[in-house]
Amino acid sequence: MIDLRSDTVTKPSEEMRRAMAEAPVGDDVYGEDPTVNRIEEYVADLLGKEAAIYGPSGTMTNQIGVHLGTRRGEEILLHEQSHIFNYEAGAPALLSGVQSRPLPGEGGVIPPDALRAAVGPENDHFAPPSLLCLENTHNAAGGTVYPLDEFAAVAASARELGLGVHLDGARLFNAAVAAGVPAREWCRHADTVSVCSSKGLGAPVGSLLAGDEAAIRRARRVRKAFGGGMRQAGTIAAGSLFAFERNIERLEEDHDNARALAEGLLEAGYEVEAPETNLVLVKADDEDAFIEALAREGVLAGHGKRGYVRFVTHLDVGAEGVERAVEAAARVFAKA
Ligand code: TLP
């Protein structure tokens, strides 16, 4: 099976497993895990932030960010197709007691005007808006890169409106590699940033939330309350550290493979959106039928935004796997 459902499906390499097995560990709830302490410093530095905290998942680090940037009864504003709004099980309401206001925007980009239009004047009828959440790359839009100038512009509007800014950067390094812009350039415009080691970077578990010292100090209590205080977490953090140290630059290969996949699918007759990073969206009248037909030919794909099937390239599928996936999809197209 060629598994292109997500870049979350990668398995740790032998070398990564060795680094995990040999990692020095301690009880991280006491702050005594040297490997966790190391990755927190490493990632804070990479993102140009004062501090970072290690957590089990991107969902948790996003939700800690939401919790830090809001109070119960307030409102967060975010893209209508964002992961936090659609794929985190209603957690902003469940864990932080906030309501979510979805905003429109091409390619996951929220125009400053749309943000300003959504924030009304102060009025006792309205939930006070307090946090803008942005996503880069944007998953549902097809792995699109948030252009830095547009990111800076909407973040500046948020500031003018008195809002904080959280960045869901689960695939921020895909954006950085594709745009040739250091990840920290986007982070300068956000108070908190969540990044994942278990997407294209290939670690089995682990995400981090970065921000200033005071925010991350508060985040330790929130992580505990959300059930994310882990003990000898260095065993997994070593995989994440390996991923951040070794697997960022090679994301370019995944992007090349995504382009090859898109071209091949286009030639086979499909309607394909040109990929900017490692996600390829293919139009499908019946998504389930297409996914099932592909599976019968040995290729696993998943759901994208409505009406699209999503293929995700990653470090466990090389150029040859992509060629085989194209051949399988061509057979499906011929039979349809
Ligand atoms: N995304 C997963 C699914 O949940 C859809 C995937 O396969 O793409 N932010 C973004 C932008 C994400 O794409 C994801 C995972 C997360 C956050 C959550 O990360 P985890 O799965 O670690 O909680």
Side-chain angles (χ1 to χ4, degrees), residues 6 57-59 62 83 88 135 139 168 170-171 199 310:
S6 183
S57 70
T59 299
N62 273 336
H83 196 276
E88 299 191 7
E135 186 175 315
N139 183 345
D168 174 355
R171 295 189 180 83
K199 309 281 177 303
R310 185 184 80 158

Side-chain angles (χ1 to χ4, degrees), residues 64-137:
I64 296 172
V66 167
H67 200 78
L68 292 178
T70 57
R71 283 181 307 190
R72 212 171 168 72
E74 292 183 336
E75 180 173 273
I76 61 171
L77 298 104
L78 67 190
H79 192 271
E80 60 194 0
Q81 288 171 344
S82 64
H83 196 276
I84 293 178
F85 184 51
N86 291 296
Y87 299 105
E88 299 191 7
L94 185 67
L95 301 177
S96 298
V98 294
Q99 78 177 10
S100 295
R101 182 175 296 273
L103 302 177
E106 267 311 295
V109 170
I110 299 173
D113 283 350
L115 175 64
R116 278 191 287 266
V119 174
E122 225 186 275
N123 181 313
D124 281 350
H125 293 86
F126 302 153
S130 54
L131 185 70
L132 172 69
C133 299
L134 300 171
E135 186 175 315
N136 187 23
T137 62

Side-chain angles (χ1 to χ4, degrees), residues 13-259:
S13 63
E14 278 308 312
E15 235 185 324
M16 184 185 279
R17 283 177 191 270
R18 218 166 18 249
M20 294 171 75
E22 291 168 2
V25 297
D27 189 329
D28 181 47
V29 173
Y30 291 101
E32 291 173 2
D33 190 299
T35 309
V36 172
N37 293 342
R38 219 175 118 204
I39 194 173
E40 290 180 344
E41 269 174 42
Y42 186 87
V43 169
D45 188 51
L46 202 55
L47 301 180
K49 293 291 185 199
E50 288 175 5
I53 182 172
Y54 189 63
S57 70
T59 299
M60 187 181 287
T61 48
N62 273 336
Q63 294 306 323
I64 296 172
V66 167
H67 200 78
L68 292 178
T70 57
R71 283 181 307 190
R72 212 171 168 72
E74 292 183 336
E75 180 173 273
I76 61 171
L77 298 104
L78 67 190
H79 192 271
E80 60 194 0
Q81 288 171 344
S82 64
H83 196 276
I84 293 178
F85 184 51
N86 291 296
Y87 299 105
E88 299 191 7
L94 185 67
L95 301 177
S96 298
V98 294
Q99 78 177 10
S100 295
R101 182 175 296 273
L103 302 177
E106 267 311 295
V109 170
I110 299 173
D113 283 350
L115 175 64
R116 278 191 287 266
V119 174
E122 225 186 275
N123 181 313
D124 281 350
H125 293 86
F126 302 153
S130 54
L131 185 70
L132 172 69
C133 299
L134 300 171
E135 186 175 315
N136 187 23
T137 62
H138 199 276
N139 183 345
T144 47
V145 176
Y146 211 122
L148 183 57
D149 53 343
E150 298 191 62
F151 192 92
V154 75
S157 297
R159 303 275 177 230
E160 281 162 24
L161 295 163
L163 310 178
V165 179
H166 170 74
L167 167 59
D168 174 355
R171 295 189 180 83
L172 182 60
F173 294 98
N174 292 89
V177 165
V181 171
R184 56 170 61 206
E185 291 300 316
W186 282 279
C187 301
R188 283 174 42 210
H189 305 284
D191 302 298
T192 50
V193 182
S194 157
V195 291
C196 292
S197 67
S198 59
K199 309 281 177 303
L201 301 183
V205 205
S207 294
L208 291 104
L209 183 77
D212 66 23
E213 291 280 3
I216 299 308
R217 206 172 317 116
R218 282 183 60 214
R220 296 198 185 278
R221 186 185 299 266
V222 179
R223 182 185 63 177
K224 196 78 187 78
F226 288 179
M230 299 181 284
R231 302 296 178 173
Q232 286 68 34
T235 46
I236 54 172
S240 301
L241 187 61
F242 185 98
F244 282 107
E245 285 178 340
R246 307 277 283 273
N247 288 343
I248 292 180
E249 271 148 41
R250 66 148 306 286
L251 290 171
E252 191 61 53
E253 283 172 43
D254 299 344
H255 301 171
D256 291 343
N257 286 333
R259 269 191 296 275

